[in-house]
Amino acid sequence: MIKDRGIQDNYEDIIMERIIQGMNIKEVLTALRGSDGYFITNTARDLSQSDFKNRILLHTDLLAAETRERANYFSLEITGGASVHVDILRKQVDPFYKLMRLREKMPNTMFQTLCRGVNLFGYRPYPPNVIRQTVKEFAKYVDVWRVFDFMNYIPNMQAVFEEVQNAGKILEPCICFSTGPEHTDEFYVSKIEEIIDVTGDDILLCIKNHGGLGTPKRIGQLVNAIKQQYPDLVIHYHGHNTDGNDVGRITAAVLNGATIIDAADHAFTGYYGPPPILTVVDTLKDYGKEPAGINIEAIIETSEVLRQERDHYEYFESQFKGFSPTVQIHKLPGGAMGSSFEQAVKGNFLDKMPQILHEELPKVQIELGNWWSVTPGSQILWTTAVSNVLGGDRYGNPSGDLKNLLLGKYGPFPFYKPADWIYEKVFGADWRAILAKEGGVENIADMDIEHERATLAKRIDREPTEQQLVLYLQHPNDAVDFFKFEEEFGHTYVLPPSIFLRRGGYNVGETIQFKDHFGKEHVIEIGPKQRDKENGECNIYFNVDHNQRIYNFKEETSASTAAKEPEISAKEVAQLAKTGDIRAPFAANVCDIQVEAGQQIKVGDTLLILEAMKMQTPVSSELDGTVNEIYAELGQSLKVGGKLLQIVP
């Protein structure tokens, strides 16, 4: 299948021929087209995002690395999407360092990423020079680049396309798939033509069925239509098993000419991510289709390793078990399913979920153009539907991202524009003038990267690396918090999930034993604890592998604990805003502050930008006046009614 490239594989009894990292696109295409079998991508990253809220730790992936390396996958999807952000925000691990450590154990396997085009690994459009610099840095470690745009708007992906190809990596543009009368074979084939006009023929083509939509027959028809028009095009099918039917869709895709498919380790598969690899292999075998070069024993061994780890991630699995065939109605992708239920539980509107999912969300999708429910589009649809149901005023409380969508900032609507009444509801009676003045694809100017580098250096008190700069350019506040955390505490990836994700704290006198991913034993001893009667401070002894440290701290008392802010309603927040007392209208993080104390402002001026559910919403002034005091801080997490700033009329 593939000529010997002189690289030693660590197999005891057999030497497997395989596609390996370092091969160029022409070599890869030759191997793929010359094989009688199909190839498998292990979508570990997508599994983590869809079923475990992206919380699977590097420690766990390192435990599985050796057997995954021997499994002979086409690629391992291990970074990208929301994982880059969650790595620094929740797991305290550097996304670049993660790739370096995994490469040490997986020298041959191609690493794959998911990139949101102009949104990169974030949730908003980035300047062209930020896009190019980010791709250059990640391309040092990532071999296969799956690139998509939620509007299937090719210009939004072009900068990434160019940089991936300039880096000599494997480019895999996507057509995002959905269902409805507009979503015809002819439409998707025409999109592929647009892609090839930009990229040339040396690409892989992904059908990104992120919601697990359609039937096996429908997917088979689409693959067949593409192969009829482009017989030499290598198709990679990606889907989710939300309705329990993706093994059928994968089978139909392969039987109609797809060369690569996505699946995951069975010990961790759930309800909203990819289906189990072995189930796919067993099913296709009955059709005379064999996986190229796959080592079945290594796949089984991987799940035996992972099975011991799953209990530690239970807290992050969706509280709602079972497949969800109604995904064909609401179309939420796998990554959004768990988070939507989590938000409903925390927001006390779980009883409204049937109405939101099965009535309002499908209605909103049709009203807004029936495009593709994938990041950031899925968040726009979801937050709009939730707001419509909970607020009782449809489109009466639009997010900033919904406004940008209607203005065409993300690209033209692929099928039809929303009705005039929606524009009027969102922008007011002067909506036509606003659309004429502000409408159109956003032309984002290059960022002054050297200025940002200097700002970052000032915030972390040292010169940043190029990798740190790239992370900062996408997630400024969270990146700075992570850099400071890592400087103080070091690499936390060495901790297993049983310790890192443990809930409820630790007890004085407790002894904890664990093995790291090398199999080395470690012991942690907590205590004893002593109190200094003179200054009221406590010190606690902390022993790691018999190396002792002492930590001093003051214990919190009920008197020293800040009083809780009284809870107020969204209606009260709106009333206070008219007096100049600006509060958070919903639970959110402060991602930008656009005014300063003493600044003169007018009605409609943007004061701050809040971020919730990956959506950014501007908070505007309801009156003319002067900014008297700013209470909010960048990165601060606020509840409904949290104080933002004060304006003197």
Side-chain angles (χ1 to χ4, degrees):
M1 184 178 88
I2 302 171
K3 63 182 180 181
D4 180 14
R5 295 174 58 84
I7 294 180
Q8 288 292 319
D9 289 324
N10 297 320
Y11 301 129
E12 296 179 0
D13 302 316
I14 54 174
I15 296 177
M16 306 287 275
E17 294 177 325
R18 64 183 297 183
I19 293 174
I20 59 173
Q21 75 94 14
M23 295 175 69
N24 63 46
I25 182 62
K26 290 188 180 295
E27 291 176 299
V28 170
L29 288 174
T30 298
L32 292 169
R33 290 166 179 159
S35 174
D36 292 330
Y38 63 94
F39 293 76
I40 299 173
T41 288
N42 184 321
T43 45
R45 192 279 320 164
D46 202 356
L47 174 70
S48 177
Q49 179 166 333
S50 298
D51 285 306
F52 299 93
K53 299 182 177 67
N54 253 320
R55 293 306 205 282
I56 295 178
L57 302 178
L58 173 57
H59 187 283
T60 298
D61 285 322
L62 285 170
L63 287 177
E66 182 184 341
T67 50
R68 280 175 173 167
E69 168 74 356
R70 289 194 284 111
N72 285 356
Y73 296 119
F74 168 74
S75 61
L76 173 70
E77 190 200 56
I78 199 63
T79 188
S83 75
V84 172
H85 187 209
V86 179
D87 278 351
I88 62 174
L89 180 66
R90 303 295 183 200
K91 297 189 284 188
Q92 281 73 53
V93 65
D94 186 322
F96 291 102
Y97 187 78
K98 175 175 78 173
L99 293 170
M100 286 187 280
R101 292 312 311 265
L102 286 169
R103 178 56 71 207
E104 292 170 3
K105 289 197 169 190
M106 305 182 72
N108 294 332
T109 303
M110 293 201 297
F111 289 163
Q112 181 171 310
T113 190
L114 178 70
C115 181
R116 299 162 176 158
V118 72
N119 296 301
L120 287 173
F121 306 122
Y123 318 108
R124 60 184 175 86
Y126 290 95
N129 60 342
V130 171
I131 294 172
R132 294 181 184 279
Q133 184 152 341
T134 300
V135 174
K136 284 178 183 176
E137 284 301 313
F138 272 94
K140 296 174 182 177
Y141 309 95
V142 176
D143 308 287
V144 182
W145 286 73
R146 177 176 290 171
V147 188
F148 77 93
D149 177 73
F150 84 99
M151 296 290 275
N152 272 334
Y153 184 52
I154 311 306
N156 281 347
M157 300 184 278
Q158 189 161 346
V160 179
F161 288 171
E162 292 171 358
E163 289 305 321
V164 171
Q165 291 183 315
N166 288 341
K169 300 299 182 178
I170 313 302
L171 177 61
E172 184 174 289
C174 295
I175 51 169
C176 295
F177 174 79
S178 189
T179 53
E182 301 84 12
H183 295 266
T184 62
D185 291 343
E186 291 75 19
F187 172 81
Y188 287 115
V189 169
S190 71
K191 278 294 168 184
I192 294 170
E193 182 178 5
E194 289 182 44
I195 290 172
I196 293 176
D197 283 345
V198 172
T199 64
D201 296 326
D202 290 340
I203 61 169
L204 311 179
L205 188 282
C206 177
I207 298 174
K208 182 172 169 54
N209 189 7
H210 42 273
L213 302 178
T215 62
K217 179 180 179 181
R218 175 70 192 97
I219 294 301
Q221 287 174 338
L222 177 58
V223 173
N224 181 264
I226 296 170
K227 295 297 285 187
Q228 291 291 330
Q229 188 70 24
Y230 298 99
D232 292 331
L233 187 62
V234 173
I235 296 175
H236 189 160
Y237 172 78
H238 165 79
H240 282 228
N241 203 33
T242 308
D243 65 347
N245 204 20
D246 209 50
V247 175
R249 288 185 286 265
I250 288 172
T251 302
V254 172
L255 294 180
N256 281 277
T259 305
I260 316 169
I261 59 91
D262 284 359
D265 298 296
H266 55 268
F268 263 60
T269 48
Y271 303 107
Y272 307 131
I277 295 166
L278 286 183
T279 305
V280 171
V281 172
D282 289 343
T283 301
L284 283 168
K285 189 173 183 178
D286 271 358
Y287 291 91
K289 297 291 183 178
E290 296 286 346
I294 282 293
N295 182 340
I296 297 296
E297 289 304 314
I299 294 175
I300 295 172
E301 286 180 50
T302 302
S303 276
E304 292 306 314
V305 171
L306 291 175
R307 194 174 302 283
Q308 310 304 316
E309 301 290 296
R310 182 161 184 164
D311 284 351
H312 305 305
Y313 295 99
E314 183 180 12
Y315 177 78
F316 302 106
E317 293 192 65
S318 173
Q319 303 94 323
F320 302 91
K321 312 300 183 187
F323 294 110
S324 180
T326 56
V327 69
Q328 305 298 334
I329 300 171
H330 59 71
K331 299 183 181 180
L332 270 184
M337 285 296 296
S339 60
S340 66
F341 279 109
E342 181 181 36
Q343 186 188 10
V345 170
K346 291 180 178 178
N348 295 316
F349 61 88
L350 190 60
D351 60 316
K352 301 289 186 183
M353 284 296 279
Q355 181 184 355
I356 293 170
L357 288 176
H358 304 145
E359 297 177 25
E360 185 61 24
L361 190 51
K363 190 183 299 184
V364 167
Q365 287 169 342
I366 297 300
E367 290 172 347
L368 292 184
N370 198 25
W371 30 265
W372 297 270
S373 181
V374 63
T375 304
S378 53
Q379 283 78 20
I380 296 174
L381 293 168
W382 166 253
T383 54
T384 301
V386 171
S387 176
N388 287 355
V389 170
L390 299 187
D393 183 17
R394 301 191 75 241
Y395 300 101
N397 186 29
S399 67
D401 296 275
L402 175 58
K403 290 180 179 180
N404 286 334
L405 173 83
L406 294 173
L407 289 170
K409 299 296 185 184
Y410 298 116
F413 287 94
F415 305 119
Y416 55 86
K417 291 177 66 175
D420 290 354
W421 71 266
I422 295 178
Y423 280 90
E424 185 171 0
K425 187 72 175 181
V426 170
F427 295 108
D430 296 331
W431 68 270
R432 294 182 191 276
I434 293 172
L435 188 61
K437 181 181 178 181
E438 302 179 24
V441 177
E442 190 170 9
N443 185 18
I444 305 174
D446 278 348
M447 182 180 285
D448 185 343
I449 290 181
E450 292 311 309
H451 173 75
E452 296 300 321
R453 188 194 305 274
T455 301
L456 175 57
K458 185 176 180 180
R459 293 183 68 177
I460 63 175
D461 296 321
R462 65 181 184 277
E463 191 67 23
T465 66
E466 290 302 308
Q467 294 173 359
Q468 288 176 326
L469 178 62
V470 159
L471 296 176
Y472 172 77
L473 292 173
Q474 292 179 86
H475 306 289
N477 299 314
D478 294 330
V480 168
D481 288 344
F482 166 69
F483 300 149
K484 291 180 177 179
F485 175 93
E486 190 174 58
E487 184 175 27
E488 181 175 1
F489 298 106
H491 294 302
T492 61
Y493 80 91
V494 296
L495 296 173
S498 60
I499 293 176
F500 188 86
L501 300 176
R502 176 168 164 171
R503 301 179 62 77
Y506 297 88
N507 300 315
V508 174
E510 188 171 1
T511 298
I512 304 161
Q513 293 178 306
F514 69 94
K515 289 183 179 180
D516 62 23
H517 56 86
F518 293 110
K520 182 180 177 181
E521 294 274 1
H522 298 276
V523 59
I524 298 175
E525 298 170 295
I526 302 169
K529 172 183 172 183
Q530 296 178 335
R531 184 188 303 275
D532 189 321
K533 294 181 180 180
E534 292 184 5
N535 60 22
E537 282 194 348
C538 292
N539 59 58
I540 189 164
Y541 290 80
F542 192 74
N543 294 287
V544 179
D545 292 342
H546 310 295
N547 294 306
Q548 187 178 89
R549 293 186 181 184
I550 302 175
Y551 292 92
N552 299 311
F553 61 95
K554 284 191 175 181
E555 289 187 307
E556 280 191 348
T557 64
S558 56
S560 65
T561 304
K564 291 184 178 179
E565 291 188 20
E567 293 185 4
I568 61 176
S569 67
K571 183 177 181 180
E572 289 172 311
V573 169
Q575 291 171 340
L576 288 171
K578 295 177 181 178
T579 70
D581 185 357
I582 312 300
R583 308 288 189 101
F586 48 84
N589 294 323
V590 180
C591 66
D592 193 16
I593 300 173
Q594 299 194 353
V595 294
E596 298 177 350
Q599 182 176 333
Q600 298 286 320
I601 49 93
K602 294 185 177 296
V603 173
D605 286 353
T606 299
L607 305 171
L608 313 93
I609 296 179
L610 302 179
E611 184 177 68
M613 284 294 291
K614 306 175 186 177
M615 296 289 99
Q616 295 184 357
T617 300
V619 177
S620 302
S621 178
E622 298 282 344
L623 70 167
D624 297 341
T626 304
V627 177
N628 181 48
E629 191 168 359
I630 298 175
Y631 305 108
E633 297 178 0
L634 283 176
Q636 183 179 1
S637 180
L638 295 166
K639 295 181 179 180
V640 176
K643 293 176 73 68
L644 297 175
L645 54 83
Q646 181 72 44
I647 298 172
V648 177

